[in-house]
Amino acid sequence: MVKIVFFDVKPYDKKFLEPLVAELKEPVEVSYLDSKLNKDTVELAKDADIISLFVHDKVEKEMFDKLKCTMIACRSAGFDYVDLTECAARKIKVATVPSYSPSSIAEFAVGLSINLARNLRMAFERSKNADLSLTSKLLGFEMKGKTVGVFGTGRIGKLVCEIFRGFKMNVIAFDVYEDKEWAAQNQVEYVKTKDEVYARSDIISLHAPLTKENMHMIDSKAIEKMKNGVLIVNTGRGGLIDTKALIDGIKSRKIGGAALDVYEKENLSFDHDWFSVEEGIMPDEDLSVLLGFPNVLVTAHQAYFTQEALKEIANVTISNIAEYLQKAKEQPDRGFSLKNAPRV
């Protein structure tokens, strides 16, 4: 019997996964674990034939000798938490969920932009303290007529551009692969360099993949080229932003505000309730600093978190597992490819 272990599973995940697992044609023994997979918990996966992971799990090279699995089913579009080189060497098949409700993330990104433009965090905190007065600190700006720069025009980035156009904003975009037909239909202007996005944008929204070229694409040099008071929204990958440079930019008021649903060191602090943990101290000083700024919004990687997205993640994950089981039966040497294998 095939053993499948799902890591980092919350009750809301299990609700969507369990009925679909029951429909698999192959007999399986399934475990749903709240624990995240890492070098300290790898023993929990030692007997699994298939492991399913989420974004806060980590499979590093030194862990593979303790694994017998022949497939890793990622429940995310990203796969940077899995050592693909080692997987290939050991013929471990990897599958991802390339797209799950892009609208969920796109709508969230635009919502964060509006929050920053109208200082809603500060307004909410003041009203909680019964301060219903107006102050210049709450003075915002209209989206209409402003320029938004979008990095990455995949499924999510395109939807973001289209929503911003609905606000009658000027939308510019940078992507190595330009979809010129789509851009013409939606009045989106592709620009040739990142620097042009930095220089022209009132709001910058990040939807690019985390490649070597894009690592810390928002750094001190990039920030210097931006407009004074620029707003930065990141629902893409945490490593796109150099956190130290972002903090410096906010302190100098070069950056007017930032909204982060992802964070480069989120494995340290995300997915924890630090407020209710007894004697718990957040281990990340930079994140503590960011949370203290009134013009910064930090959300816990929740842009995807809708009923529609969770349903799609479960559907595609179990479909990936079913495809693997069928092909592995037909080709035991695993000389096949999976439809949703990572694209690198």
Side-chain angles (χ1 to χ4, degrees):
M1 183 176 291
V2 175
K3 292 186 177 182
I4 306 175
V5 179
F6 290 85
F7 283 89
D8 197 10
V9 175
K10 303 295 188 290
Y12 48 76
D13 297 311
K14 190 175 180 181
K15 170 186 172 183
F16 291 98
L17 288 167
E18 209 165 28
L20 297 171
V21 169
E23 295 176 5
L24 285 170
K25 294 179 181 179
E26 298 291 327
V28 295
E29 179 184 322
V30 182
S31 299
Y32 300 97
L33 304 181
D34 180 62
S35 304
K36 298 172 183 60
L37 181 61
N38 53 51
K39 63 187 180 194
D40 297 323
T41 61
V42 68
E43 287 292 323
L44 297 172
K46 66 179 181 179
D47 296 323
D49 301 296
I50 296 172
I51 57 176
S52 179
L53 310 178
F54 198 49
V55 295
H56 295 126
D57 295 302
K58 190 76 172 174
V59 186
E60 298 172 289
K61 185 174 181 178
E62 61 268 23
M63 296 168 57
F64 281 88
D65 286 338
K66 297 181 179 180
L67 296 173
K68 59 166 275 192
C69 67
T70 53
M71 185 207 182
I72 297 176
C74 299
R75 302 193 308 278
S76 62
F79 45 85
D80 50 322
Y81 49 89
V82 177
D83 187 329
L84 294 182
T85 302
E86 194 67 20
C87 285
R90 295 173 183 254
K91 285 193 172 183
I92 298 173
K93 297 300 179 183
V94 180
T96 68
V97 182
S99 174
Y100 41 92
S101 189
S103 295
S104 299
I105 299 172
E107 292 168 7
F108 196 83
V110 175
L112 291 176
S113 302
I114 296 169
N115 268 271
L116 290 178
R118 300 305 299 270
N119 297 304
L120 293 186
R121 173 185 169 177
M122 191 185 304
F124 176 67
E125 290 178 350
R126 288 166 63 89
S127 64
K128 275 203 310 180
N129 294 320
D131 183 351
L132 301 178
S133 64
L134 284 179
T135 169
S136 59
K137 292 179 180 180
L138 298 178
L139 188 65
F141 64 81
E142 291 184 357
M143 311 282 275
K144 179 182 177 182
K146 300 299 188 298
T147 297
V148 59
V150 176
F151 281 104
T153 53
R155 294 181 182 93
I156 297 166
K158 283 178 177 174
L159 282 173
V160 168
C161 291
E162 292 167 15
I163 296 171
F164 277 130
R165 281 294 301 143
F167 285 92
K168 298 184 179 180
M169 297 188 75
N170 304 312
V171 181
I172 62 175
F174 178 86
D175 197 306
V176 177
Y177 304 102
E178 297 182 358
D179 187 340
K180 294 182 179 179
E181 181 179 352
W182 163 82
Q185 290 173 349
N186 291 280
Q187 296 178 288
V188 174
E189 177 192 351
Y190 275 114
V191 297
K192 295 301 180 185
T193 66
K194 294 176 182 178
D195 284 355
E196 190 169 351
V197 178
Y198 300 146
R200 292 175 55 186
S201 300
D202 299 293
I203 300 173
I204 292 174
S205 192
L206 303 178
H207 307 280
L210 185 59
T211 61
K212 289 181 180 179
E213 294 76 20
N214 288 339
M215 183 68 180
H216 285 181
M217 61 186 291
I218 305 297
D219 59 10
S220 58
K221 291 182 180 179
I223 291 169
E224 286 176 5
K225 299 169 184 174
M226 296 178 188
K227 287 184 176 181
N228 292 332
V230 64
L231 304 181
I232 299 174
V233 176
N234 190 9
T235 57
R237 292 287 182 269
L240 297 174
I241 295 179
D242 179 340
T243 304
K244 298 284 189 186
L246 179 70
I247 290 172
D248 289 343
I250 294 167
K251 285 181 175 178
S252 69
R253 302 193 180 182
K254 178 73 173 181
I255 296 172
L260 310 175
D261 186 58
V262 291
Y263 174 65
E264 66 175 327
K265 295 180 287 184
E266 65 184 67
N267 278 342
L268 285 176
S269 301
F270 277 29
D271 205 29
H272 289 279
D273 181 357
W274 296 104
F275 183 78
S276 64
V277 175
E278 289 185 14
E279 299 181 6
I281 298 175
M282 187 180 294
D284 187 342
E285 186 177 334
D286 288 337
L287 185 56
S288 295
V289 171
L290 286 168
L291 290 170
F293 288 129
N295 55 343
V296 171
L297 295 168
V298 178
T299 51
H301 208 136
Q302 74 175 78
Y304 81 96
F305 196 55
T306 61
Q307 296 180 43
E308 293 83 357
L310 291 180
K311 183 177 180 180
E312 183 66 8
I313 289 169
N315 281 333
V316 177
T317 298
I318 303 308
S319 175
N320 288 340
I321 291 174
E323 179 193 6
Y324 170 79
L325 291 173
Q326 180 61 37
K327 289 184 174 179
K329 182 189 291 186
E330 296 168 355
Q331 301 179 55
D333 64 348
R334 302 199 295 279
F336 54 83
S337 59
L338 296 176
K339 180 178 72 172
N340 290 323
R343 304 207 191 298
V344 292

